[in-house]
Structure formats: structure tokens, C-alpha cells
Amino acid sequence: MPYFETMISNRSPYLIAMILTICVLWLPMIKAQNNSKTEIPPTWAVLKKAPDQNPLPNTQALTDTSDLSSKMIAGIDRFLLKQIELAKTKREENWKRDLSSHEAYAKSIAGKRKELAAILGMTDTIVEGRTSIIASAPRSNDRKFDIHEISWPVMDDMSGSGLLLAPRRSLLGIIIAIPDANQTAEDLVSSNTAAGAYAQQLVRSGFGVLIPTIINRDINQWTLSNREWAHRPSFELGRTLAGYELQKIIAIINIQYQNDKQLPLGIIGWGEGGRLALYAGALDPRINVTAVCGYFASRQNLWQEPADRNTFGLLNSFGDAQIASLIAPRTLIIENGKYPSYFYRANAKDGLESKEDAYTKLKGKPGMLVTPSKKEVQKQFDLAQSFVAGLKPTKPTFKLIESDDAVSEATLSAFIHSLDPKSTLAKQKQTLELPSRQHATQRHDQQLNEILRHNQRLLQLAYESRINYMKDVKTDSVENFEKSTIAYRKKFAEDVIGEYVIDLLPPNARSRKYEVGPKTVSYQVEMDVFPDVTAYGILTLPKDLKLDGSDKRPVVVTQHGLEGRPRHTTGEEKYKAYKSFSTHLAERGFITFAPQNPYVLFDRFRTLQFKSQSIGKTLFSIAVPQHQQITDWLTKQPYVDGKNIGFYGISYGGKSAMRIPALVTNYALSICSADFGEWVWKTAATDKRSLRYSYSNKGEYEIWEWNLGSTFNYAEMAHLICPRPFMVERGHFDGVQPDDRVAQEYAKIRYLYAAQLKIPERTRIEYILGPHAIHEQGTYDFLHQHLNWPKPKE
């Protein structure tokens, strides 16, 4: 079951308490049951394969004998790839460039600059300040330039740091040279590696060179790259690692501009540095010349790149060509040369022995950097040029330099010549002993820790941010409350979950009889949702149900957890945490439907999240319309009481219980089991104590959702379920979160229902002396009460 590996790996006291509880309370009961002559056989033992495969009335026969869950995931994958391609074809519809003059063009693209900064999370205020020299290398007559270790303020709790190379002559200009993620600042001064020592050539050519430190991709103690480790909580809090690094670059530009506004300013980088140079050039018009090396291509496969490059909704408005167009009318140089390579659990190079190994060995997202073909780079460059070819009075200078090297001399010559036509590139590169090299690791770690601490501060401030975000909710009456949450439901659908504006297909339901029990009969049901996208689940009916419409029953949609299948909830032996609740509820007179949600088949489903997020969507962008289709279909069945359909989900199904009923109003109530708590804390906390529970260092690498920190935690999601009944099922020894975090978040919901709206009977939390499991206690009473179905006689 989900979370058990977390508890075991951290030797959780909750796990120890759970084991003691099993020994003290459960084992005697099991022994008593074993000694009883009237022992009740478990559900899995009494469910039998159906003797026939006849379909339900009003459905077609389901004849597909393949794995319907795998088929569903494959269909979603095809759908998303088509949507990514569709985003490319529609991208230019989002742009309204005015090429009539440079001033008109700048005004016409100002909105796109703001949009790019927003999706990079560049929302924190940059402070004013000055650079500080931390240390300087001993002067040498042979070197002809000075080397200083510097730092500069960025925010009130974050700084930038790196090297400053100062020529001992009058400055021709200032250059910011950005390393790749596998380079130190010192490598740009003296190194024989790819893209090494080119900053030395630039300073010898008469330019001051600033080299910022960026976060590397070394693997840390959590078997994550440092960049993914920093990016995960940033993303949940509405920031990105690249956004932080860009703000450090802009901060040093601010300081330079205070000192001298006349000197020309250029920016250059290779690999990750090339990406940051492209973005900085697009965002800051004070940069006169931008040179991008080892980074320029179509971003259509953004989902394949390392996790730290994940940017929510980037591909709706931006490919590299569109970002390049923001640099016009200034100079842009693209080097079509050597690109860095990187693999993390990619191309079967991970050496994992099983799927479960990713939770304990390599916990990050599979990612790789692939060198694009020369033809692809040329195509993207031509596209960028086409966007601004008609710019008046003069078109911008965009240059493509062909090379087989990384940061070639041809590129460097064109770069400095664009800054100062009289400049000449120095050829000499000395091998230098750099005392600052011994500080490089410390400098990097300080930068990483500052980002982590800043995120933890944002996590604390997010509580107040969400209160401010929800300030327009009215609680003077239920009616006014419902009206005021309409706008928030729309924001949740569009900005957080991601909504496809696509009509549902006719369901074209197919079914076949699946299993028969003493009191139940079940059917596998499949239906269409979108082109390529299906919904699949198991419908379980009480045997005494009349299908002609004379006997309408409420429905409970029973949602499995991580890597679950619908059949796990009906009665498979090894999935004991589910307690066969789909079947047990049907034995109590309910109809149940156990859907297959998309979180199954490990990397296959997790990469769907990154495909989705590249176009501003999520896995729930698929799950929500699937549930809409399922519940729409259920309401049309003559034996279903369409006004009483409840949702009951465990673990990852509990995540669904917070998000899906918030948007699918066919659900009359929602029960969140074995998942509820302070979700934003669980996904963004990186302090030592919290890591016992936090996802930040775990193997569920798809879990982060853009900017939930400032918008919707679980209490805010529950606002979108309210005034419908809502319940939390909480086992004291569930390692998901500690009781105090669960209680704190639920207290907000209780206050809403009981104190503000005066409907206390519609919500409850049940604490149970048990683990991460369905407990079949108060939740069943809650379902009987609010779905208007009598309890069975004992």
C-alpha cells in the first residue's frame, strides 16, 4: 500500500505503534475468530468468476480481453501527445505582435514577458544593494585580470554568489557568463572540459565578466539531483528553480545598472546556462546581446527533460522560438554546436530491479538532455526570425553560428563584436590555479540551502496567502456561500487542475458480467470520454436489485489508491487495506462503482503528469471528465438514484476525494480516507523533522501541483465540496501525516460547516485505532445517513 515504504524507511514511531496495536488488539481477535465454529469466509474466497459474460441492459457487449487499465493509460498518452502538438499549432493565436515600430513591438509583447515571468514563478520582490567581495585571488602580472569571489543581495533572505573577472584596462562592456549545471564558476575561468575557460577569453578581450553560481545536478543523499530537490517544493509554492536563478541574474544587472548605465551588457551561457541566458535576454531589455549555446530546440518533448525544467503551461504560449522573439529588436546569437548530455533513470540506464526500487534507490523523475539535430535547430531559428522579419524600421540581428564545439571562438567573436565592434577576441587561455575552487562546493551548498530556507519561509506564509485568496467567500448563508464559490470552482478547474474545453463523447458503454458473490453480482464497464480516452471500472450490484426502475438505489463510487485496480476494491486477497469495500457496501444495499483512476503503471502514469503540466494540465484534467462521464452515465440508469451518488476514496483515492467532487457536482458527498491532512506542508516541507512525512524526498515524483501553496490546500478544496456532506476517515497509526496536522486542517472545515454555515451534521472526522486502511465504521453510517439508504438489520 502507498506510504508504507515511507514509514518503514524512516522507522516511524507511528509504524511501531501500529505494530503494537496489531499485536495487542487484533491478534487476539484473529485467534478468537480462528477458534470460532461460525467463521465468516473473507470476501475474496466467496466471489466467483461469473458463469457468463452477458452485458448489462442498455449496454453493448464488452469483448476486449486486453488489460483495460493498461489500455486506458495508453489511450491517455496518445491523447496528451496530440494535445501537446495541438498547443504548438495554436500557440501563435496567443500572440499579437505589432511590427510597425520598435516601441510598438515592445508594448505588444509586454504581456508575454509578464506571462513568462509568471509561469517561472518570478513573483518575489528583488531588493536593492551592492556586490560584496568575499575574497580575491592573489594578483599576478601574467594574468592581466583580477579574480574576486563576490555575493550580492537578491531577496531579504536570498543572495547570489559567484566570480567577478575584472580586466586591468578600461572596460569595453559587462558580460554575464552562466555555467551549465555540471560546471562550477571556476570551470569557465580555467578548465579543459566542454565550454571551459571561455570567460577567461572574454575578460582578456577587455570585458568585465560576472559568473553566477547555479544549482548542479549532482545526486544528493535522497538519490535526487540537487536541482530536482530544490525545484519540487518551489513548484508547489508557485516558484521554479530557474525563476530563482533568473532573479539572481536580474539582481546583479540592477546593481550594475546603478553603477554604469552606459556600458553595453551581454549574457552568454551553455547548456542550463544557455537556457537561463535565453530567458534572461527575453525578460530584461537592458541586455544588449544574448548568446545561447547548447540550448535551442523545439520544446515539444519538455516532459522528457529533467524535472527541474518542468514549467506549468509553458507550451501553450512558448517554444524556444517564441521566447527568442521577445529579445527583438536586440541581438540574439544561437550556436548550433555541441550540447551537454544528461541521463537520470532514462533509456533503461537506471539499473532498477523492480518498480518498487524507485522508492528506495532512485527517487527522481526520469529525465534526459538530448542533442537536437542541426536541422531542428535551424528550423527553430528560422521560425524565430519569421516572427520579427517585418519589424520596422530595422529588423533585429539574429545570428545562427554552426559549430561542432561548445561555445566556439566564432560564437565568442560574434558575441563581443556585437557588444563593441572594435573588440578582438583574445586567443590565449592559461591554465590557472584558482584558490576559489576550494570554496566552490561551499558556495554552491550555501546557494542551495538559501533556496530551501526561502521555500520553507514561503510555506509558513502560504497559510495567510490562502486566507487572502479566499477572502471573497461569503458565509452569511448557504445560498450566498454557494454563489460565491462558483468563481473559485472555475479558478480551481482552470488554473490548478487544468480544464480541457472539449465535449464529452457519447459514453457508448460496454459491459460484461465479472464476478458473482452470495449477495452481489459485478460487471466490468468501459465507456468513451474523449478521443483516445476511456473510463473503466467495476459496477457491483446487490442481487436483490430490480433493474427495471422500480427499485432505485444510491451509488458509492469506491476509489482505489496508488497502483490500484478496480478489482482490488472488490475482494482480492492481498489487498487487505481496501477491506473489499466495494463488495461490502453492495452487500449493504448500495450500488458501487470502482473506477480505474490514471495513477497506475508506475512511470507510464507519472510521465503523463509531466506531459499534462507542459500544457497547463494535470492527471486530474483527465480524471475529472472521466468521473463526469461515469456519473452522467450512472444517473441515466433506471435503477440508480441519481441524486445520491457518493465518493469514497482511499490513499491516492483520498487525493481524488478532495479534487474530483470539488468539480463533479453529480457527487452528493465525499469521503477522504487515509490521505487527508495539510497537503501543502506534505509536499513542500524539507526540514529534517518533516521529511518523515513529506513527499519532498520520496519516490512519487509526479505529485507536485503548480502553486497550490497560495491557492488551494485541502481545507480550501473542501470549500468547493461544501455544502455537500464531507467526511475524513483517519487511522491514528496512518503514516501519511501526524494527527496534529490532520486535525489542524480539518478544524478549518469544521469551522466552515458548523460555525459559519450552521450545518454541522454534514461533516465529521473519525479517528480510528488503526493503520492506513478502509475501516468500515463511521463512514458506512455516514453513507447511509446522507445517501438516504437504511442500514441493514443486524
Side-chain angles (χ1 to χ4, degrees):
M1 280 300 296
Y3 306 110
F4 281 3
E5 70 281 351
T6 299
M7 295 158 60
I8 294 169
S9 64
N10 290 285
R11 296 178 176 85
S12 168
Y14 284 87
L15 176 63
I16 297 170
M18 184 183 76
I19 293 170
L20 291 174
T21 301
I22 292 171
C23 295
V24 173
L25 297 179
W26 291 2
L27 291 181
M29 295 192 310
I30 294 171
K31 182 177 181 181
Q33 288 180 355
N34 289 338
N35 294 333
S36 172
K37 294 180 180 180
T38 59
E39 180 180 349
I40 299 173
T43 302
W44 59 267
V46 297
L47 290 177
K48 306 298 182 183
K49 184 177 180 181
D52 61 74
Q53 293 192 337
N54 294 334
L56 280 162
N58 304 315
T59 66
Q60 300 178 39
L62 177 58
T63 58
D64 190 339
T65 58
S66 66
D67 182 338
L68 296 179
S69 301
S70 179
K71 172 187 175 184
M72 187 190 86
I73 295 299
I76 294 171
D77 187 58
R78 292 193 301 274
F79 173 82
L80 290 176
L81 291 175
K82 290 176 183 177
Q83 291 298 311
I84 291 171
E85 190 63 24
L86 183 63
K88 182 176 74 171
T89 62
K90 289 187 173 182
R91 196 171 291 152
E92 279 306 298
E93 296 175 9
N94 297 327
W95 290 73
K96 305 294 180 185
R97 297 183 183 87
D98 184 345
L99 303 177
S100 60
S101 70
H102 288 182
E103 293 76 14
Y105 183 73
K107 186 180 293 186
S108 71
I109 62 172
K112 286 299 168 190
R113 278 206 181 106
K114 290 181 180 179
E115 180 182 345
L116 180 59
I119 64 176
L120 290 167
M122 298 171 64
T123 55
D124 297 300
T125 301
I126 296 176
V127 299
E128 295 182 358
R130 302 174 60 184
T131 55
S132 299
I133 295 177
I134 307 302
S136 299
R139 289 175 66 90
S140 166
N141 292 332
D142 295 335
R143 200 170 58 228
K144 306 299 184 185
F145 64 93
D146 295 322
I147 304 172
H148 307 287
E149 296 179 67
I150 62 169
S151 68
W152 62 94
V154 181
M155 302 166 201
D156 56 9
D157 60 352
M158 189 184 296
S159 64
S161 68
L163 298 182
L164 169 63
L165 312 184
R168 297 173 195 160
R169 51 179 280 191
S170 58
L171 285 176
L172 299 180
I174 299 294
I175 292 172
I176 300 173
I178 313 174
D180 181 41
N182 68 348
Q183 293 178 308
T184 65
E186 284 76 10
D187 289 336
L188 271 60
V189 182
S190 181
S191 173
N192 293 323
T193 60
Y198 72 84
Q200 184 184 150
Q201 289 181 270
L202 295 174
V203 69
R204 289 182 182 278
S205 302
F207 294 88
V209 183
L210 292 158
I211 312 173
T213 298
I214 72 169
I215 305 305
N216 63 37
R217 289 200 177 97
D218 290 354
I219 302 303
N220 65 16
Q221 61 182 316
W222 313 114
T223 68
L224 299 168
S225 77
N226 283 322
R227 291 189 70 82
E228 182 169 0
W229 168 238
H231 185 75
R232 285 178 168 191
S234 304
F235 194 85
E236 191 79 8
L237 297 165
R239 304 328 191 255
T240 65
L241 176 58
Y244 284 143
E245 291 173 330
L246 286 164
Q247 286 183 290
K248 294 183 180 192
I249 292 167
I250 291 171
I252 195 65
I253 292 174
N254 292 346
I255 293 170
Q256 171 56 32
Y257 230 59
Q258 291 173 2
N259 297 332
D260 191 336
K261 296 181 181 180
Q262 304 305 315
L263 282 173
L265 176 63
I267 192 164
I268 184 171
W270 180 69
E272 202 62 38
R275 178 186 182 224
L276 294 172
L278 176 66
Y279 283 23
L283 292 168
D284 196 329
R286 296 173 296 181
I287 297 172
N288 303 106
V289 183
T290 301
V292 178
C293 309
Y295 181 90
F296 198 75
S298 166
R299 290 297 137 207
Q300 291 302 103
N301 291 326
L302 178 63
W303 60 273
Q304 290 184 319
E305 297 182 33
D308 60 275
R309 289 189 174 182
N310 187 31
T311 310
F312 192 70
L314 178 72
L315 299 186
N316 289 331
S317 292
F318 302 102
D320 284 357
Q322 282 79 13
I323 295 173
S325 75
L326 294 176
I327 295 174
R330 294 163 291 134
T331 298
L332 171 65
I333 299 167
I334 302 293
E335 181 180 81
N336 194 1
K338 185 175 182 178
Y339 283 59
S341 62
Y342 174 81
F343 292 93
Y344 179 95
R345 289 196 57 232
N347 285 1
K349 294 181 182 296
D350 50 41
L352 298 182
E353 297 173 5
S354 68
K355 295 176 180 179
E356 290 74 19
D357 283 343
Y359 292 113
T360 56
K361 291 185 178 179
L362 295 174
K363 297 177 180 177
K365 171 192 176 293
M368 57 184 175
L369 300 177
V370 178
T371 300
S373 68
K374 298 279 189 179
K375 184 177 180 180
E376 180 185 345
V377 177
Q378 179 71 59
K379 182 179 179 181
Q380 293 302 311
F381 178 80
D382 292 344
L383 183 61
Q385 277 196 313
S386 72
F387 293 144
V388 294
L391 184 58
K392 298 175 181 177
T394 56
K395 67 179 182 179
T397 302
F398 281 13
K399 298 179 182 178
L400 181 67
I401 295 179
E402 297 290 343
S403 174
D404 293 324
D405 300 322
V407 194
S408 66
E409 292 199 352
T411 298
L412 291 173
S413 294
F415 178 57
I416 65 170
H417 186 75
S418 297
L419 288 167
D420 185 335
K422 297 181 180 179
S423 62
T424 302
L425 182 67
K427 304 294 184 179
Q428 183 184 13
K429 289 193 291 186
Q430 290 179 318
T431 299
L432 302 174
E433 292 293 329
L434 300 175
S436 65
R437 228 180 244 287
Q438 61 185 315
H439 306 146
T441 298
Q442 179 183 358
R443 186 191 319 130
H444 169 273
D445 292 349
Q446 180 183 1
Q447 292 287 287
L448 175 59
N449 289 331
E450 282 186 1
I451 290 171
L452 295 174
R453 286 195 298 270
H454 179 74
N455 281 337
Q456 296 314 289
R457 181 185 174 197
L458 292 178
L459 178 58
Q460 297 301 316
L461 296 174
Y463 180 89
E464 295 297 330
S465 298
R466 293 190 297 274
I467 291 175
N468 184 62
Y469 181 75
M470 301 294 287
K471 66 181 183 297
D472 294 328
V473 172
K474 308 298 182 185
T475 56
D476 55 321
S477 71
V478 172
E479 180 182 4
N480 287 339
F481 172 82
E482 289 188 281
K483 289 179 181 177
S484 68
T485 55
I486 292 173
Y488 285 98
R489 186 171 288 108
K490 188 173 187 293
K491 290 177 181 178
F492 187 63
E494 294 177 354
D495 300 339
V496 176
I497 297 298
E499 183 177 43
Y500 288 108
V501 186
I502 303 174
D503 292 335
L504 294 173
L505 296 173
N508 186 30
R510 290 87 66 190
S511 70
R512 60 175 169 241
K513 195 176 291 184
Y514 178 58
E515 287 180 330
V516 177
K519 297 181 180 180
T520 62
V521 58
S522 63
Y523 293 81
Q524 290 181 311
V525 181
E526 184 184 48
M527 61 190 76
D528 299 326
V529 180
F530 293 147
D532 292 313
V533 178
T534 58
Y536 155 66
I538 294 176
L539 180 73
T540 303
L541 306 175
K543 275 188 174 178
D544 62 356
L545 174 66
K546 298 179 179 63
L547 302 183
D548 59 5
S550 61
D551 179 15
K552 290 182 178 290
R553 302 283 182 95
V555 180
V556 182
V557 172
T558 49
Q559 192 62 70
H560 61 77
L562 174 63
E563 294 296 336
R565 303 291 186 105
R567 66 179 185 269
H568 299 166
T569 72
T570 61
E572 286 204 5
E573 177 183 7
K574 68 177 182 177
Y575 296 97
K576 294 179 181 178
Y578 291 122
K579 303 288 181 64
S580 306
F581 73 133
S582 294
T583 301
H584 289 176
L585 284 166
E587 290 172 343
R588 300 174 73 92
F590 295 103
I591 297 168
T592 65
F593 191 95
Q596 177 68 68
N597 258 21
Y599 35 79
V600 67
L601 300 177
F602 197 62
D603 284 336
R604 284 180 61 190
F605 93 78
R606 291 197 156 102
T607 54
L608 297 181
Q609 177 82 320
F610 290 88
K611 291 172 184 175
S612 299
Q613 289 181 336
S614 72
I615 53 173
K617 304 295 190 293
T618 64
L619 270 177
F620 284 103
S621 305
I622 298 294
V624 166
Q626 285 177 321
H627 279 255
Q628 188 68 56
Q629 186 77 302
I630 289 166
T631 55
D632 285 350
W633 177 79
L634 285 169
T635 60
K636 293 180 174 64
Q637 304 314 302
Y639 46 87
V640 168
D641 178 358
K643 293 183 179 180
N644 284 299
I645 302 176
F647 189 103
Y648 186 0
I650 174 176
S651 194
Y652 264 53
K655 296 170 182 44
S656 300
M658 300 309 304
R659 293 160 177 81
I660 292 173
L663 297 177
V664 179
T665 56
N666 286 344
Y667 284 117
L669 64 78
S670 182
I671 299 174
C672 178
S673 174
D675 182 73
F676 186 86
E678 219 278 52
W679 178 256
V680 174
W681 168 79
K682 183 172 177 63
T683 51
T686 55
D687 62 282
K688 185 176 181 180
R689 180 182 181 277
S690 299
L691 285 177
R692 176 182 299 167
Y693 307 101
S694 175
Y695 275 120
S696 293
N697 62 341
K698 305 299 189 302
E700 290 88 345
Y701 60 79
E702 88 297 343
I703 208 78
W704 289 268
E705 297 160 283
W706 174 247
N707 199 25
L708 278 191
S710 299
T711 55
F712 293 93
N713 207 341
Y714 273 11
E716 288 74 32
M717 293 182 198
H719 276 65
L720 306 183
I721 297 170
C722 183
R724 292 168 289 165
F726 173 74
M727 181 176 177
V728 172
E729 183 178 40
R730 164 69 187 175
H732 280 303
F733 306 128
D734 190 333
V736 173
Q737 293 193 31
D739 273 354
D740 59 331
R741 291 282 180 176
V742 176
Q744 175 183 313
E745 193 68 11
Y746 179 75
K748 304 172 195 174
I749 299 170
R750 180 69 187 176
Y751 182 75
L752 172 67
Y753 276 82
Q756 294 180 300
L757 298 179
K758 308 298 190 293
I759 49 173
E761 70 283 354
R762 298 191 194 180
T763 188
R764 66 171 297 196
I765 185 169
E766 182 182 34
Y767 291 97
I768 299 158
L769 200 64
H772 187 81
I774 294 288
H775 294 287
E776 301 188 294
Q777 297 182 30
T779 53
Y780 285 10
D781 293 340
F782 195 78
L783 290 167
H784 282 290
Q785 176 187 354
H786 292 290
L787 294 183
N788 195 27
W789 187 252
K791 294 181 184 180
K793 295 180 181 179
E794 296 296 335

